[in-house]
Amino acid sequence: MKYLRSVLPPVLVGVVAVVLWEVVVTAGRIAPFILPAPSAIWAQLVEQRGNVLDAALASGANALVGLVGGTAVAILAALATSRSKLLSDVAVPYAAVVNALPIIALAPILNNMFDSTSSLPRRVVAGIIVFFPVFINTLRGLREVDPTHRELMASYAAGGWTFARLVRLPGALPYVFTGLRQASSLAVIAAVVAEYFGGLQDGLGARITSAAAFTAYPRAWAFVVGACALGLVFYLTTLLLERLAMPWKARS
């Protein structure tokens, strides 16, 4: 019953919004070439389901590699910088600069740096976008160590890596997953948007721009729906990993 109360309201709101959308477009209040009706988008989604799935797999692979790579680099950087307050104070502004890099400017530059048939530029873009939220949240978690735990490990003469492995990293897990929840959706957005600017034409971003260029707007929206579904899959997978990594949090 608890889950029903939490799930039912957003589902009802979504259904009402789609119905209103259909009615407004069908009544001619909005031109179909500006915003197609949900029924037209659904028809294209069914017709193009194979292409949508293939494009989603290509974009998903780029987003996944960027997410894993960006997360690994962010956690290692947070572990290194958290050992010194001076280093942390220096690193955080540079991380903010990396976060401020616009995808629109970054993607074309990276596409020109690598071969046109390479997926590496999209993966690098996704990794850069992922880095900041994971780094900042992990760094915050690593800093907030219970003084009692610190004194206990010091009494055991525990080394830096032992202390990090047994105390700091487990204590920082909630913060790590907070960053991952943000980064999982950002990785998909970055991978899809990076596909707008050349390179391999096998992902959702390339299919969206191609369909829009030929004024096939329902088909373009069908690929947009595929991108939304891909982002949702990444987010739900992150939630599942969080439950598996911290089962005590789910029970509480």
Side-chain angles (χ1 to χ4, degrees), residues 123-181:
R123 297 174 179 182
V124 172
V125 169
I128 291 172
I129 298 301
V130 161
F131 175 83
F132 183 77
V134 178
F135 172 76
I136 291 298
N137 282 282
T138 303
L139 183 61
R140 181 184 175 190
L142 291 172
R143 283 172 168 174
E144 297 190 7
V145 177
D146 191 323
T148 304
H149 295 163
R150 190 185 298 275
E151 293 173 5
L152 178 63
M153 296 304 289
S155 68
Y156 289 145
W161 168 242
T162 303
F163 180 60
R165 180 171 56 87
L166 296 179
V167 177
R168 298 176 74 203
L169 274 176
L173 273 180
Y175 297 90
V176 173
F177 277 102
T178 297
L180 272 175
R181 286 198 302 272

Side-chain angles (χ1 to χ4, degrees), residues 18 20 27-28 36 45 47 55 60 93 100 104 107 132 163 174 191 236:
V18 170
L20 289 176
L45 186 61
E47 181 181 332
I104 295 175
F132 183 77
F163 180 60
L236 292 177

Side-chain angles (χ1 to χ4, degrees), residues 65-234:
V65 173
L67 179 62
V68 172
T71 297
V73 173
I75 292 176
L76 290 175
L79 280 169
T81 56
S82 65
R83 297 176 67 87
S84 166
K85 187 178 186 303
L86 176 61
L87 197 56
S88 298
D89 293 340
V90 171
V92 170
Y94 283 102
V97 170
V98 171
N99 183 58
L101 290 173
I103 303 174
I104 295 175
L106 192 60
I109 294 172
L110 290 174
N111 278 330
N112 291 330
M113 290 173 60
F114 297 94
D115 190 81
S116 61
T117 59
S118 174
S119 295
L120 188 58
R122 289 94 179 267
R123 297 174 179 182
V124 172
V125 169
I128 291 172
I129 298 301
V130 161
F131 175 83
F132 183 77
V134 178
F135 172 76
I136 291 298
N137 282 282
T138 303
L139 183 61
R140 181 184 175 190
L142 291 172
R143 283 172 168 174
E144 297 190 7
V145 177
D146 191 323
T148 304
H149 295 163
R150 190 185 298 275
E151 293 173 5
L152 178 63
M153 296 304 289
S155 68
Y156 289 145
W161 168 242
T162 303
F163 180 60
R165 180 171 56 87
L166 296 179
V167 177
R168 298 176 74 203
L169 274 176
L173 273 180
Y175 297 90
V176 173
F177 277 102
T178 297
L180 272 175
R181 286 198 302 272
Q182 301 170 13
S184 59
S185 299
L186 290 175
V188 174
I189 294 171
V192 172
V193 173
E195 293 166 356
Y196 292 168
F197 304 99
L200 282 175
Q201 301 296 297
D202 60 345
L204 290 165
R207 302 295 177 87
I208 293 170
T209 54
S210 176
F214 286 99
T215 66
Y217 297 113
R219 188 167 77 235
W221 274 91
F223 286 108
V224 171
V225 172
C228 294
L230 182 63
L232 185 61
V233 167
F234 268 62

Side-chain angles (χ1 to χ4, degrees), residues 169-181 238-252:
L169 274 176
L173 273 180
Y175 297 90
V176 173
F177 277 102
T178 297
L180 272 175
R181 286 198 302 272
T238 304
L239 290 181
L240 177 61
L241 291 175
E242 183 177 8
R243 283 179 174 268
L244 293 175
M246 298 185 295
W248 62 89
K249 183 178 178 182
R251 287 195 297 267
S252 62

Side-chain angles (χ1 to χ4, degrees), residues 6 171 231 237:
S6 62
T237 302

